[in-house]
Amino acid sequence: MFRHRQYDRSWFSLGFETLELIYHVAVRNMRKTHHNAVLGLVMAIIQSLLMLLVMYFMMSLFGMRRIAVRGDFMLYVMSGVFMFMTHIKAIGAVASADGPTSSMMMHAPMNPIISIMGAALGSLYQQTLAAAVILFVYHAAITPVTIDDPVGMMGMFLLSWFSGIGIGMIFLSAMPWQPEAVSIIKTLYQRINVLASGKMVLANNLPPNRRDWFDWNPLFHTIDQARGFVFLNYTPRYTSYDYAIWFALACILIGLMAEFFTRQHASASWNKRH
């Protein structure tokens, strides 16, 4: 009676069923931390706003306004903070998605890929709404916002999220083997990105020996490229969004292979006390 029955259906119908599952998983992930969905969205906005204000006052205090792009300094800070928050939130959401030993995997037709996609889309929805609300309030209440290339800027926003998915999948696949160690490494990576993302500096202004500190990070490339799309008088010369794309695809490929391997060997009894 409770068995999931398989019917002969078209790929179109199966696609809609998968999209429906992803939607419900995304909603479930958004309700994990807050039972009230509206409160969860408000908290996402507050977190982004607090990070924005901290970065604004920190850069003003240390005299870093003079190295920013000519234009709206708050928009310069936003371009870094929004990409950063989207990236690290995607990592956290995907890394904490339901794995192969989760009780959710016992319910057909649920599978880890749907869990990953649902977690990633839930994170993207929260961060997109937070960025949109903050930008609208700033535009309506303080000063009009002018973005040179909104489509390109949005592309970099999505690329920051996409690269976060790839890194998060690697953490997710390693989590069943050493949960405590992987959790520490994930948190450490997210904290390091506060500085390693380069959201407080411009790649064009960095000397080569300092730029080498950031070049490995895909978020550094997406933030710098985003500022090239946001500001008319800034053209990135030392970063490339191609690197971020290939980095994300490589991480996703590694994550998928590692997740498949983990799924074949993971056991719910690994972390049980004997």
Side-chain angles (χ1 to χ4, degrees):
M1 181 175 70
F2 298 105
R3 187 181 298 276
H4 179 75
R5 296 182 180 179
Q6 297 289 342
Y7 298 98
D8 292 331
R9 292 180 297 171
S10 67
W11 286 103
F12 190 73
S13 174
L14 291 172
F16 266 103
E17 180 183 357
T18 303
L19 290 175
E20 183 183 8
L21 282 171
I22 292 172
Y23 166 76
H24 287 296
V25 171
V27 173
R28 178 177 176 270
N29 275 275
M30 290 174 62
R31 290 177 177 270
K32 274 185 178 180
T33 52
H34 300 282
H35 295 292
N36 188 321
V38 176
L39 181 60
L41 296 174
V42 171
M43 288 303 297
I45 295 171
I46 292 175
Q47 285 179 349
S48 295
L49 184 60
L50 287 176
M51 173 65 75
L52 189 64
L53 293 175
V54 168
M55 294 303 302
Y56 178 85
F57 287 115
M58 183 183 299
M59 294 178 72
S60 299
L61 181 64
F62 290 104
M64 301 181 71
R65 298 186 66 152
R66 56 186 175 82
I67 65 172
V69 180
R70 292 197 311 272
D72 191 336
F73 180 66
M74 180 58 89
L75 194 58
Y76 170 82
V77 178
M78 286 182 185
S79 63
V81 169
F82 290 156
M83 307 292 164
F84 167 77
M85 292 295 292
T86 303
H87 183 77
I88 65 166
K89 290 295 184 181
I91 293 173
V94 172
S96 60
D98 293 313
T101 60
S102 170
S103 58
M104 286 296 293
M105 296 304 138
M106 299 179 184
H107 301 277
M110 185 66 177
N111 61 65
I113 301 302
I114 291 177
S115 174
I116 291 169
M117 293 179 67
L121 287 174
S123 168
L124 178 64
Y125 174 73
Q126 285 184 317
Q127 296 308 311
T128 303
L129 180 67
V133 169
I134 293 172
L135 271 173
F136 174 76
V137 172
Y138 182 73
H139 175 82
I142 301 176
T143 184
V145 171
T146 302
I147 296 175
D148 181 49
D149 186 350
V151 176
M153 182 272 296
M154 193 63 195
M156 293 303 101
F157 183 81
L158 293 175
L159 187 53
S160 300
W161 168 73
F162 186 60
S163 59
I165 293 175
I167 297 170
M169 287 183 65
I170 294 177
F171 287 132
L172 174 66
S173 60
M175 194 71 74
W177 300 91
Q178 285 291 336
E180 294 83 4
V182 174
S183 180
I184 291 172
I185 295 172
K186 175 178 70 73
T187 303
L188 183 63
Y189 176 83
Q190 291 174 316
R191 298 296 181 266
I192 288 175
N193 256 306
V194 174
L195 297 176
S197 62
K199 62 178 177 292
M200 295 185 290
V201 296
L202 289 174
N204 289 2
N205 294 343
L206 289 174
N209 60 331
R210 294 290 180 86
R211 198 164 53 244
D212 292 341
W213 297 358
F214 304 98
D215 268 341
W216 62 271
N217 195 341
L219 186 57
F220 174 68
H221 292 261
T222 57
I223 289 176
D224 195 61
Q225 288 291 316
R227 285 169 174 160
F229 290 117
V230 171
F231 297 99
L232 178 63
N233 53 11
Y234 181 69
T235 303
R237 297 195 301 269
Y238 303 106
T239 56
S240 169
Y241 55 79
D242 290 343
Y243 171 80
I245 293 173
W246 288 113
F247 185 96
L249 290 175
C251 286
I252 288 176
L253 180 61
I254 294 170
L256 286 172
M257 292 190 295
E259 197 280 328
F260 178 78
F261 179 81
T262 300
R263 197 190 320 165
Q264 304 304 311
H265 297 83
S267 171
S269 63
W270 277 1
N271 297 318
K272 302 296 183 183
R273 294 182 181 272
H274 297 287

